[in-house]
Amino acid sequence: MVQSGISLPSSNRDWSMNDLPNIGILAGGIRYRKHGYGCKVFLPDIAIDFDFGDQGEYDGFDLWRLRIFAGERLVEFGISSASELDGLFNEAVRTGALVHSEGTQYYLRSRPFGID
């Protein structure tokens, strides 16, 4: 997005109120669709849907988006079923490997709220 001249937001609210068209094309002909606090980017082989975090973070995730991203390819990630993915996610939350933000995002404890 930055390579396409789109500034990263300072917050998810900042993103939702910017003047960026809801549908557009990024550098390299990559299509995007802006929505609420996030964006869906249509790469050649996969679409990635994400929300910006409370402070504009872009490396957060949630279980719903992980399910969508993995889709029918769970075994490619070494996971046998959606219920196993759910269990692994919940275990990572329980043990503190994933940190929950004030919003809906989770971050790896090793790099919480990780904008460099």
Side-chain angles (χ1 to χ4, degrees):
M1 298 180 94
V2 171
Q3 293 174 353
S4 298
I6 299 171
S7 299
L8 293 176
S10 60
S11 71
N12 50 18
R13 287 172 218 68
D14 180 42
W15 173 259
S16 69
M17 294 187 294
N18 71 24
D19 293 333
L20 186 68
N22 287 340
I23 296 173
I25 306 286
L26 301 171
I30 304 297
R31 295 181 306 117
Y32 75 85
R33 182 178 56 82
K34 178 184 171 195
H35 60 76
Y37 286 165
C39 191
K40 188 168 190 175
V41 179
F42 300 89
L43 301 172
D45 296 328
I46 193 166
I48 299 175
D49 189 347
F50 66 95
D51 277 355
F52 287 100
D54 299 335
Q55 299 169 16
E57 308 93 338
Y58 51 82
D59 60 346
F61 55 94
D62 57 46
L63 181 55
W64 181 73
R65 283 188 175 82
L66 283 178
R67 285 184 197 133
I68 291 170
F69 177 79
E72 300 295 318
R73 301 172 305 132
L74 285 171
V75 292
E76 292 178 34
F77 299 105
I79 300 170
S80 62
S81 67
S83 61
E84 182 183 0
L85 175 63
D86 292 358
L88 291 167
F89 185 91
N90 291 329
E91 180 67 9
V93 171
R94 188 188 69 71
T95 63
L98 295 179
V99 178
H100 189 245
S101 72
E102 293 177 20
T104 62
Q105 303 291 305
Y106 289 84
Y107 299 87
L108 296 174
R109 173 163 298 288
S110 61
R111 191 167 171 247
F113 314 111
I115 291 183
D116 292 323

